[in-house]
Structure formats: structure tokens, C-alpha cells
Amino acid sequence: MLPFGARLREQRLVIRFALASLVAFVALGIALSAIIARQFRLRGEAQAKAHATFVTDSILRHELERADLRGPIDPSSKRFRQLSAFVRSRILEGAGASEFKVVRIKIWGKTGTVLFSDARALVGMNFGLEDDIREAFEGIPQAGVSNLTAAENVDERGLADKLFETYVPLRLDGKTGPADAVVELYQDYAGIQREITDGFRTVATALLIGLAVLYVLLLPIVFRTSRTLSEQNVRLGQQAHRLEELLQKEQQRVAELRELNRLKSNFVAVASHELRTPLTSIIGYAKTLRQPQFADDGASRREFLEAIERQGDRLFQLVENLLMTSHLEDSVLKLSISSFSFPELVRDVVEGLGSSRDQVKLALAPDLPSLLTDRQYVAQIAQNLLNNALKFSGPGAECEFGARWFPGSLVFWIADHGIGIPSEEVGRVFERFYQVDSSSTRRYGGIGLGLSLVQNLVDALGGTVEVESQLAAGSTFTVTLPLVHPSVAERYGAGTRGGGASDPGSNGHRAPAAAVESGVPAAAQTA
Ligand code: ADP
């Protein structure tokens, strides 16, 4: 089925063709009719001329004698009456088809004198040698429609509306050569016209019927052809549209690859710098420690060792994030599901911050339920968010680590009062390698992987992460996690998931543990 637009175009095309071809057919019909009419007229007049020649050669010649042509035959003579009677009975009223009927006859002498005519008043008159008569004397018959204006035609004007005149050379011996006289015969053109009209009508009717049939046969062919063309047009249009879409996708992909390439190059520079900074510190502190003056300085040694530990932790975190990102790229992220207490995990993570631990204020709801999910991943999410909160706040600034639970889920947040994120950038901070300030002069370290890793880990745990931020006021990252990892919930039924089963007010906080007790290994490996 063609679309509406294509159908309309097709109908317009057919109507246009129908009209144009109708005009062409009518023009062709008129042109052909004119040609045919002319041919029939020539044919009719040629037949009339042939009839006049026949009358002269086969009828009149045998009746005439050489003496008759010496001068005008006296109309009161016996010979004239004899000839007149013959002409009337054999030519004017007798012989020949009615359509070529001879209505007048004149015999011209060489000087232009009428020697004989059925109109006796003309006999003996001299009208001079007209061109037609002269040429007929030279042996060439002349014929044409008479306009009856010549003086010699005064008498013919009442015979018919239109006459056809033929000048036939008369040779009494029937041989070729100069004529002895010229016989002029007038035929009523109405008869010739009838002959012309009859023939023309038959052929013209056949022609018109033929053209009409051709026209009618042509229309369905055009209709089908235009339909096929329209369908092909629609198909071509669809293909062009598909190609355009593919091209756009391709261009988008190329742009994405270019951006990725740029980010990766940027990343290499940033990562090298980020790795070198803690390493330089560690090496510096280690060299200092080896100097003899610090051998017995317990306080300084402790301070340097703590600094080495801090920088080591920073390096560890960096390498951990890199490794995890590369695991994610290879799609080998594995889950290790176990039941654990969230407050304990929070304490471990905060302890791991070393000297910054005091900047973190806890706001954990009492009776937080146990979680049955991947503990290490949850810890990594919290670590990354905490590190950012501390990093993007002023030195010594506090941040809040809070948590509360809902039926089936645990929500925790890390809020700081740091530099905040511009509103137009908030949507991009979870992209890999993305940093609000990625310039070489930026104030804060980092390689732009922390939040993308957080997003991936939260996804792997079946949760969500959101950020609310205000420039120069601070940011709050909120993570929502199911109490029971979806893969376990699926395997052991909805009873372990959400609702009353995980409601700590009833036995909800024991539900994950119950699931473990009822057969889930303490560390279930899920690809
Ligand atoms: P980085 O290694 O640069 O910290 P992340 O992926 O952890 O990379 O964060 C991406 C970017 O998001 C950071 O460079 C920073 O611009 C912005 N960002 C993340 N956390 C915070 C925060 N708590 N306060 C302000 N900006 C933040």
C-alpha cells in the first residue's frame, strides 16, 4: 500500500498524462485528417481528369472529323446539330459515372476560337490562347477547379456552384505529338466532392476509432507504470532515509570515538602525574628516614611513616580504581555476595581514611538492617564518594556520612560543603575520565575514574546513585541499594526482598542472614 502522498502524486501524474496524451492524440487526429483529406481531394480530382481524358479519347475523338476542326462549326448547320445530339446523348447525359458527370464541353481551335460547344452561343467566339489551352495544345492535359471569372465562363456560371475543368489535347489519329484541338470539359464539382467526402469519411472514422482504442489501451499501462514508479520512489526514499540514519549514527560514533581518544590521551597524562605525586612523597620520606639524625627521633619517624602510609593508601586507591575500571572494560566484574552489617562497613571505611577520619561525621539510623550483597563493592563506592567529599572541600572541612533504611532498601549519602559542581556539569560527572576541571593547572588531584566506577558498581549491585550540588555550597551523593542483591532475591524468591520480609521491625534485618542460613553460601560468586 502506497503512502497517501505517493498516491496523490501518482494520481496527478496519471491525470497529467491523460490530458497531455489526449491533446497529442487530438492534434495527431487533426493533422492526419488534413493529410487524408488532401490525398482524397487529389485522388478525386485525378479521377475526374482521367474521366475527362477518357471521354475525349474514347468517345468524342471517334465522332470528330478533321473537317470539323478547320473552323467554328456553324450552329445552324446539320453537322452542328448532329454533333450536338451525339454530345448530349453520349457525353452530357449518357456515359460515365454520375459523380464525374460532364456538364459542358468546348472544343478550342489553335487560335483560341471555340470550334464547337454544346452552348451554341459560344461557338465562333475567340477568347485568346490562355496558358491552360496553350499547354494542352503542347500535349499536356491541364485540370483544376474553375473560378468561373474568365469571360469564356459567362455561360457556365449557372451550371453549378463549382466546376472542375479539364483541357485535354485532342489528336484525331490517336498518336502522340501536337494536338489538333483542345477539348475543354466541365464537371460538376459536387459529384467529385461527394466521392472525396465518402472516401475521407470511411478512412477518417477508422483512424479516429484506432486512435481512441490506442488511447484507451494506453491509459491502464500508464497507470500501472506510474504505480510501479511511485512504489520504487517510496522504496528509494525509505532506503535513502535509512542510509541517512546510518550515516548520522556513524558520524556520531566517530565523534564519540574521537572524544574517547582525546579523553584517553588526557587520562595518560593525568594518571602518570597522579601516580608520580604520592610516589615522589614516599621516596622523599623514605630517604629522609634513612638519614642518621632521624634514627633516634621517634616522633619524626612516626610522622614520616604515617605520611608514607597515607601516600601508600592514596596510591593503593588509585591502582584499585584503575584495576576495577579495566575489569569493567573486560566485563569480568565478579560479585562476592555475603551478609554484613552496614555500620561496621562504614566504620572500616572511615578508619581507612587515616588522619582525615575525624572530618567525617556519621548520621547512621539506629537498627540498620544487614545487607546481603557484595561488601567490597559497597566499601569501594563509599570510599570513592568520601575521598571526593574530602578532596573537594577545604582542608579540615567536615562532611557527613549518613544512612537510613526503607523496606527492601538502604539509602546512604555523603554530603560535603565543598566547591560544588556547576549545574550544567552535574549530568556528566559519572562519565568515565570526566573532570569538571581537567586543566593541567587544576587544584585537585584525581584521574576522573572514581564516579564512573561508583556508577558501575551501583549498577552491578542493582541500586542507583544521584547527586545534588550547588556551586560553592557543596554536594550530596545519595546511593540506594537493595538489601538483598537481586541475583539472590531472584534465586530464593521475593520473600527475601523488600516489604515485610526485610522489615527490621519484624524479622527483616535477619532476612538476608536467613537466606544465607537456608543455603546461600556466605560468599556466592556471581558473574
Ligand atoms: P576525580 O578523580 O577527578 O575525582 P571522579 O570521577 O571521582 O574523578 O569525579 C569526577 C569529577 O566530578 C571530579 O573531577 C570533580 O570535578 C567532580 N566531583 C566529584 N565529586 C565531587 C564533590 N564532592 N564536590 C565537587 N566536585 C566533585
Side-chain angles (χ1 to χ4, degrees):
M1 186 75 181
L2 281 175
F4 179 70
R7 263 208 326 274
L8 204 69
R9 270 201 302 282
E10 177 195 308
Q11 276 170 9
R12 264 197 243 132
L13 193 73
V14 172
I15 290 170
R16 235 183 292 153
F17 174 82
L19 288 178
S21 55
L22 188 66
V23 171
F25 272 62
V26 168
L28 185 68
I30 291 172
L32 283 176
S33 301
I35 292 170
I36 292 168
R38 184 170 175 276
Q39 290 303 320
F40 271 97
R41 187 171 54 75
L42 292 176
R43 185 168 154 260
E45 289 178 4
Q47 282 176 342
K49 189 174 162 190
H51 181 70
T53 308
F54 167 79
V55 167
T56 305
D57 284 346
S58 306
I59 302 173
L60 191 59
R61 182 170 68 89
H62 300 294
E63 187 60 20
L64 288 170
E65 293 162 9
R66 205 159 285 279
D68 296 330
L69 306 179
R70 283 199 194 107
I73 304 169
D74 180 1
S76 57
S77 67
K78 188 178 165 213
R79 178 61 184 154
F80 186 88
R81 278 197 300 279
Q82 207 178 358
L83 261 181
S84 287
F86 175 82
V87 164
R88 187 152 297 114
S89 65
R90 297 291 306 279
I91 298 172
L92 298 180
E93 290 165 5
S98 63
E99 52 269 37
F100 301 121
K101 191 139 200 70
V102 177
V103 293
R104 167 107 333 142
I105 201 161
K106 289 178 199 167
I107 301 175
W108 294 89
K110 285 182 180 161
T111 55
T113 306
V114 178
L115 303 179
F116 172 80
S117 173
D118 59 302
R120 61 172 61 202
L122 294 173
V123 179
M125 292 179 87
N126 190 309
F127 296 99
L129 265 187
E130 281 179 19
D131 289 347
D132 287 342
I133 302 174
R134 191 178 305 118
E135 277 173 45
F137 267 113
E138 282 164 16
I140 309 158
Q142 300 296 311
V145 177
S146 169
N147 53 15
L148 302 179
T149 51
E152 54 140 324
N153 294 129
V154 178
D155 223 49
E156 279 86 52
R157 285 175 197 154
L159 286 175
D161 292 341
K162 203 170 163 190
L163 289 174
F164 186 75
E165 57 183 358
T166 312
Y167 295 90
V168 186
L170 175 74
R171 297 178 196 92
L172 287 179
D173 54 7
K175 295 179 184 160
T176 52
D180 299 312
V182 167
V183 178
E184 185 184 7
L185 298 107
Y186 285 87
Q187 289 156 288
D188 186 353
Y189 203 83
I192 302 170
Q193 187 61 54
R194 241 187 339 270
E195 180 75 2
I196 293 170
T197 309
D198 287 351
F200 170 74
R201 195 176 295 141
T202 313
V203 174
T205 308
L207 176 80
L208 288 181
I209 290 173
L211 284 177
V213 169
L214 192 64
Y215 182 74
V216 168
L217 287 178
L218 214 60
L219 275 187
I221 295 173
V222 171
F223 187 73
R224 269 202 302 275
T225 310
S226 82
R227 165 147 290 211
T228 311
L229 281 177
S230 295
E231 282 169 358
Q232 274 176 359
N233 270 354
V234 170
R235 271 201 297 277
L236 280 177
Q238 284 166 347
Q239 277 171 3
H241 185 66
R242 267 205 300 278
L243 281 177
E244 209 171 296
E245 277 178 356
L246 281 177
L247 190 69
Q248 268 173 9
K249 271 193 201 145
E250 209 50 44
Q251 283 170 342
Q252 201 176 325
R253 208 160 294 157
V254 169
E256 280 168 11
L257 285 174
R258 280 215 185 104
E259 172 67 0
L260 205 63
N261 203 26
R262 190 189 65 75
L263 288 172
K264 280 203 167 172
S265 313
N266 200 28
F267 166 75
V268 172
V270 171
S272 331
H273 177 261
E274 287 301 311
L275 287 169
R276 213 171 50 186
T277 312
L279 266 180
T280 313
S281 297
I282 290 170
I283 293 166
Y285 282 122
K287 279 186 179 160
T288 315
L289 271 177
R290 286 183 61 191
Q291 287 178 10
Q293 66 263 39
F294 292 106
D296 300 321
D297 185 349
S300 298
R301 286 181 74 86
R302 222 179 0 265
E303 186 194 327
F304 292 163
L305 283 171
E306 264 177 23
I308 288 175
E309 199 181 336
R310 227 180 14 255
Q311 295 301 333
D313 282 347
R314 189 173 156 191
L315 258 184
F316 183 81
Q317 180 73 43
L318 208 64
V319 173
E320 192 72 359
N321 279 358
L322 280 172
L323 273 178
M324 190 59 82
T325 306
S326 114
H327 280 327
L328 281 172
E329 268 188 1
D330 299 343
S331 312
V332 288
L333 192 64
K334 291 229 169 93
L335 287 167
S336 177
I337 307 286
S338 64
S339 172
F340 61 91
S341 146
F342 188 70
E344 271 175 30
L345 175 139
V346 172
R347 268 189 293 278
D348 289 351
V349 170
V350 174
E351 279 303 309
L353 294 174
S355 58
S356 308
R357 72 176 78 93
D358 297 335
Q359 291 169 244
V360 182
K361 298 293 158 221
L362 296 183
L364 306 178
D367 289 335
L368 283 176
S370 302
L371 291 172
L372 183 62
T373 189
D374 191 305
R375 189 180 194 278
Q376 197 205 336
Y377 289 173
V378 180
Q380 250 172 307
I381 293 168
Q383 259 164 21
N384 274 295
L385 293 177
L386 266 180
N387 281 336
N388 277 350
L390 293 171
K391 184 166 68 177
F392 294 107
S393 303
E398 289 185 348
C399 65
E400 181 182 278
F401 191 160
R404 68 164 90 153
W405 61 269
F406 293 93
S409 63
L410 177 109
V411 176
F412 70 89
W413 62 91
I414 288 153
D416 64 59
H417 306 287
I419 60 168
I421 304 166
S423 56
E424 65 276 11
E425 313 263 3
V426 170
R428 298 203 61 188
V429 290
F430 290 99
E431 287 175 22
R432 192 176 289 182
F433 306 129
Y434 192 81
Q435 295 180 300
V436 173
D437 179 8
S438 59
S439 67
S440 56
T441 55
R442 71 199 204 284
R443 260 177 75 194
Y444 307 98
I447 50 176
L449 282 180
L451 287 185
S452 87
L453 201 63
V454 165
Q455 179 73 69
N456 283 307
L457 293 176
V458 166
D459 288 346
L461 299 180
T464 57
V465 55
E466 284 161 18
V467 55
E468 267 177 47
S469 187
Q470 215 179 336
L471 207 57
S475 315
T476 301
F477 286 81
T478 307
V479 177
T480 305
L481 294 176
L483 293 179
V484 178
H485 190 274
S487 64
V488 179
E490 246 167 53
R491 216 178 302 165
Y492 295 96
T496 55
R497 192 193 234 182
S502 47
D503 183 351
S506 55
N507 61 351
H509 68 292
R510 285 189 295 277
V516 175
E517 280 160 22
S518 63
V520 183
Q525 291 282 329
T526 314

